[in-house]
Amino acid sequence: MTYSIVARDPVSGDLGVATQSQAFAVGNSVPFALPGHGVIATQSMAEPMYGAVGLDLLRGGFTAQEVLTALSSVDPQPERRQVAVLGVNGDLAAYTGRQCVDAAGHLVGDTCVALANMADSPQVWESMVERFESSGGQLAERLLSALQAGEEAGGDFRGRRSAAIMVIRATTTGRPWHDTVVDLRIDDSTDPIEALAGLMATRARYQDVVRAFQLAIDGDPVTADRELELLRPMDAATEPDQLLWRAVVAALAGREDAAREMLGELQSCSPQFVEAARRFGKAGLMPADVIERILPARA
């Protein structure tokens, strides 16, 4: 009761899966991903075995088609399932059971598979493949664009409620926290794709600020400050944590007046973050004398 896409970026090798549905919390049941091995979408009276066990089989060296064949052979109701499997080398396979609710089907492209059931028409999955394979940019952005194409073609005919995107690395680093590139979901929304797009934009900005903050406290505040100057200003009410990091970076780069002004903004609407700045000094993340010069006076 969902439409989804699994896809591979042929340049980076990254793998991704994205999904949207009228059902609640689709990201909790449809997309499965394992860095270094593959991604799977299982839907239409979804059987989690196809995702969890399917990833184990990919890790064990099974091809995408072998995964589908093996799992459908032990599934008591395979005709109710709809599954897409993508292996780390671009190996694609998909299956739509004959008891999936119309409109139901899938299309295998060069680097992706789109699948849908309870869709408005076959144009839903067809447009997703066309949009993905004709678009550029980061894999997560292309997956989001494919979901938007599916929605524009009619999407889930019952409506919309939840969406999710996952992107993983094709090669593991041994550090799993680095190997999952994107893992975002909207569980309950009147416009889940738009909400997911907002999360993706927030995530990218957040990562830029955190990366610059880390660069600054690791010894290169001037470069970090220059990078942050290229971003739009941080709002003290909606992004207090990011404005705090921005102030710390500016102070470490020698722009204490600018840092003092930012902390003054925080003092007026999010004073707890001014206290966080004070604790940064105590933790040794920046010189205590700098902290004292830029902090607003205690109330």
Side-chain angles (χ1 to χ4, degrees):
M1 305 174 188
T2 301
Y3 61 90
S4 303
I5 183 170
V6 301
R8 179 176 182 268
D9 184 328
V11 177
S12 67
D14 289 353
L15 309 173
V17 52
T19 182
Q20 199 274 160
S21 179
Q22 190 277 333
F24 173 74
V26 69
N28 191 49
S29 60
V30 169
F32 289 78
L34 182 63
H37 298 287
V39 293
I40 296 174
T42 172
Q43 58 192 50
S44 179
M45 300 187 182
E47 169 52 66
M49 171 187 70
Y50 284 91
V53 180
L55 291 176
D56 283 341
L57 293 178
L58 287 174
R59 178 162 46 191
F62 280 55
T63 68
Q65 186 57 56
E66 287 170 345
V67 168
L68 283 182
T69 301
L71 295 180
S72 62
S73 70
V74 297
D75 182 358
Q77 302 289 347
E79 295 305 320
R80 297 178 181 176
R81 318 299 182 205
Q82 190 174 41
V83 186
V85 181
L86 170 60
V88 69
N89 294 320
D91 181 27
L92 291 163
Y95 168 77
T96 299
R98 52 186 172 82
Q99 290 183 356
C100 294
V101 180
D102 288 340
H106 63 267
L107 179 62
V108 179
D110 292 334
T111 58
C112 69
V113 176
L115 59 163
N117 63 88
M118 277 199 175
D120 190 65
S121 74
Q123 290 183 344
V124 172
W125 57 88
E126 292 168 358
S127 64
M128 291 170 71
V129 171
E130 180 181 1
R131 177 73 62 82
F132 180 83
E133 297 202 329
S134 64
S135 64
Q138 298 295 316
L139 180 56
E141 297 168 351
R142 298 174 66 194
L143 290 169
L144 179 65
S145 182
L147 290 184
Q148 292 168 332
E151 186 65 28
E152 291 163 7
D156 183 329
F157 77 84
R158 301 165 304 162
R160 54 195 180 182
R161 188 174 184 182
S162 61
I165 288 182
M166 298 179 72
V167 174
I168 58 170
R169 301 290 187 204
T171 303
T172 59
T173 64
R175 297 175 295 170
W177 53 93
H178 284 296
D179 296 337
T180 297
V181 181
V182 177
D183 185 2
L184 297 173
R185 61 194 61 192
I186 301 295
D187 287 342
D188 193 6
S189 171
T190 57
D191 193 350
I193 295 178
E194 182 64 25
L196 194 59
L199 274 188
M200 286 178 57
T202 298
R203 170 191 168 276
R205 178 173 168 82
Y206 191 87
Q207 287 189 325
D208 285 342
V209 178
V210 170
R211 186 164 45 247
F213 175 71
Q214 187 66 54
L215 179 64
I217 64 174
D218 285 346
D220 191 359
V222 174
T223 299
D225 187 51
R226 189 181 305 120
E227 291 178 356
L228 290 178
E229 281 284 275
L230 298 176
L231 302 180
R232 65 172 171 77
M234 285 100 193
D235 185 271
T238 60
E239 301 173 313
D241 51 347
Q242 295 183 51
L243 185 59
L244 168 61
W245 296 331
R246 180 72 185 89
V248 170
V249 172
L252 290 173
R255 296 197 309 117
E256 293 186 7
D257 287 344
R260 195 173 297 110
E261 182 178 344
M262 295 177 212
L263 291 177
E265 293 179 43
L266 285 171
Q267 182 69 36
S268 65
C269 64
S270 302
Q272 68 272 29
F273 286 90
V274 174
E275 175 59 25
R278 182 173 284 108
R279 297 185 187 191
F280 280 179
K282 185 178 179 181
L285 295 177
M286 62 185 303
D289 62 321
V290 174
I291 283 288
E292 289 305 316
R293 287 199 299 271
I294 66 175
L295 282 176
R298 290 182 184 270

